[in-house]
Amino acid sequence: MLPSPVRPLVLALLMLTAPMASGHAAPRVDAKARAWVADVVSRIGMADRMAGRAEPRGRGGAVTIRVRIDSSGALGGIALEEGPMALGERAARAVQAAAPFPPPPAGLLTLEGFTELSFPLTLR
């Protein structure tokens, strides 16, 4: 089993490279895009850990969040997809603390100029 801090990163990367449910292969994601996603997930986890040093934390757990990031790296939105609301709020604070992010690679941007990532996040 992978170490806890690495697990969300690996799952987010797998989601980018996994085949889509319709049976069509997902577009290949280059190393630059994978590195950018890894950096975003890492920054969010680090922001949560730093907040935990400043104030005592309750119980941890896992949530799945969706994060929208625009072409400049600014945070465009956060949504809790799965998990307890209290942990979702904590995850949202970590995302906000980690923003702004480096601009996403062009290959990850929609025509509207943003990217959305959905990934599990384990909070300790």
Side-chain angles (χ1 to χ4, degrees):
M1 181 168 261
L2 294 171
S4 296
V6 176
R7 202 172 310 131
L9 168 64
V10 171
L11 291 173
L13 293 175
L14 288 173
M15 289 170 42
L16 282 174
T17 58
M20 296 189 292
S22 66
H24 300 299
R28 293 199 52 81
V29 179
D30 66 12
K32 187 175 186 179
R34 286 191 301 271
W36 180 82
V37 171
D39 183 49
V40 167
V41 174
S42 176
R43 284 173 183 245
I44 294 168
M46 186 179 301
D48 182 63
R49 287 188 299 280
M50 294 304 287
R53 290 182 183 167
E55 60 186 61
R57 293 284 181 187
R59 294 182 108 181
V63 294
T64 300
I65 59 173
R66 179 174 297 275
V67 179
R68 180 180 282 205
I69 301 170
D70 73 18
S71 62
S72 70
L75 181 61
I78 310 163
L80 175 64
E81 292 187 332
E82 188 177 324
M85 183 61 74
L87 284 179
E89 291 170 0
R90 182 173 152 192
R93 287 191 300 273
V95 171
Q96 291 166 340
F101 301 100
L108 293 182
L109 295 174
T110 65
L111 294 175
E112 293 82 15
F114 66 86
T115 189
E116 281 191 345
L117 304 175
S118 177
F119 55 92
L121 184 65
T122 301
L123 304 171
R124 302 269 167 232

